[in-house]
Amino acid sequence: MIVEMVKSSRISESRRLALLQSERSLRAIFEEAGIGVGTANTEGVILSCNPSFYKMLGYSAEELVGKHIRDITYLEDSGGLQSFTDLVSGKIDRYSVDKRYKRKDGELIWVHIVASLVRPHGEEPYTVALIENITERILAQENERKLVQQEKISETRRTESLERDGRFRAVIEAAGIGVSTADLSGKILTANPAWLKMMGYSNDEITSLNFWDFSHPDDIAVDKELFKQLVEGKIPQYAVVKRYYRKTGEPLWCRVTVTMVHNQEEPSYVVKVVENVTERRRAEENEKKLAAEQAARSEAEDSLALLNSVLQHMPAGVAIIDGSGKVLLMNRQLNALSEQSASSSGDASGENSPLLSTLRSAALSNAIEHGEVLEQREIQFTRAEGDKGILRISAAPVYDLKGRIIAAVTTAYDITESRRAEVALRTSEKLASVGRLAATIAHEINNPLESVTNILYLLASSSVVGAEPKKLVEMAQHELARVVHIVRQTLGFYRESTTPVPISLGEVIDDVLGLYSRKIEESNAKVTRYFAQVPAVKAFPGEMRQVFSNLVVNALDAIGNNPKGAISIKVSRSRDWRSPGRTGVRVLISDNGAGIPAEHRKKIFEPFFSTKGEKGTGLGLWVSHGIVQKHGGSIILRSCQNSGRPGTTFSVFIPEETAEASHAA
């Protein structure tokens, strides 16, 4: 028994030693194996790895152990993990697969994996995988496949090229445009029938020619430079429109396209495609000529239209008259003047009006016959308003390109208003002189008046003067007071302060009415005043007297000697109708005269316009309008000519604080 137990113990120790030796051998194989070996649990977590495996992936053993096999598998190959799932579930005993792993540095490698499941007695099962790096094999196979594919493509291209060359030759021979080839020096090698026919050469003749033998001399330098750049590879092709000469010497315009043909990537020969564009070029040149002519014609028409527009809108009348006296051109201003002149002479057409007859005479006798320039001759004519006007006419010859007189240009300018302005200016100067003289006289009279006033006061206060003489003295004092008042009013119209001062418009109007009291009495006019309590306004007193003096005189002239003539003057507090936030004083001066015609109302405040004929200067309302605007106010006209209640009202608004006052402040 003991012997058997000893024997049995020896056998067990021998087996243990044998197993230990086997485990050492397997460990050595695991560590030294030339291919990667690794184990993983059934969840896919790496348990161990040999040096070949972790070096293959660029990790250390510590970094790789614990990773999931999904972490090192390329995303597009993650579908291969299904084989691992089938292995651990017992569906398969082993599997092999080619897939890509992702190294630590991100590089992808191809690996061949053989994996199986190990079920040790009494322990958890795990997987063992042999991993071989087959990247070089895969790349070699891919390169071999590409080479085979490339050879197939090259063969296909060679076949297609031969077929294409055959078709190309057929197309070139039948082409309707010229095609030729040349070597790299420009010497012609071949030419198709269309080229030969176009240039007039035979096949035998062209072999001794080069590209530039039939080019226009002016085009050779540019063509050679482009050909040089093509041969040197600086440009792939070029196209020019140039001139060729046929064998007969006939010039042609051609569009030439030159392309380099390569053989195994080296320049071999050039192909020149020549299209005869002579007819197209001629058509383009004709089209350009037509376009230029059209542009010139359009420019001339625009110039004529501009000239005509200028002539038609000139303030002077203009007419062009030829040598026979025919009016070639007449602008609207002259036509209107001619019609006015014709209507006064009874010629409805205006063609034989006195004005045109005068212009014809000036054109023929001065400008056309003698080549003289007639300048600023003045004639009278009847205007549309029925009054007499003054025209300033002139005439000058018109020459053609050869210096011959072919017509005359005549002008007629209505200078009536300017003449009236001159007359009004002279009248105004006279009135100003009279005003200054009146002010001087009033000033000189004022001193002796004060002495006479004092003497009369002493006489009235004296006890030696009887009752009857005292009555006479009192009457003299009363009349003398009127004289003093008139003198002061006269001085007040002439003297003016340099800045606006507070004034009462009611008092200003009273002064004006006092000044014209004699005229009011003579006209039997009834003057009604409605003066409300209003604030003072800042204004120039003399200018305000001038405004209301003009309006009162106009009202007196409007009612004339009408025994029922009446003038109403109303002064009230008001607001500016254009700007309700501004307050001031409004003066309404109304008369029951005949009223102002509607066509005259728009021009009533224009300079030199008057409804009084020769009696008026046309400056009173224009000056008044300017004075009111200067004070920041407004003047408005309302007039009616109805037979029931005719009359005219002028509304004058003066703000409490005028623009002049604000500026002065």
Side-chain angles (χ1 to χ4, degrees), residues 483-557:
V483 174
V484 171
H485 182 67
I486 292 171
V487 169
R488 288 178 178 173
Q489 285 180 325
T490 304
L491 289 173
F493 266 93
Y494 183 71
R495 293 174 180 170
E496 186 62 277
S497 61
T498 58
T499 58
V501 296
I503 63 171
S504 168
L505 293 184
E507 292 179 0
V508 171
I509 295 172
D510 281 338
D511 289 344
V512 171
L513 292 176
L515 188 62
Y516 292 102
S517 59
R518 180 61 61 86
K519 187 172 183 178
I520 294 173
E521 291 176 3
E522 291 175 353
S523 65
N524 295 318
K526 180 183 178 182
V527 178
T528 307
R529 311 180 196 187
Y530 301 95
F531 289 4
Q533 186 174 359
V534 296
V537 296
K538 281 190 176 182
F540 293 94
E543 292 184 351
M544 288 293 101
R545 290 190 188 95
Q546 187 174 358
V547 170
F548 295 118
S549 177
N550 285 330
L551 296 179
V552 169
V553 170
N554 286 345
L556 289 171
D557 291 341

Side-chain angles (χ1 to χ4, degrees), residues 57-68:
L57 295 178
Y59 291 97
S60 64
E62 291 78 8
E63 290 174 328
L64 188 58
V65 172
K67 286 185 176 294
H68 197 283

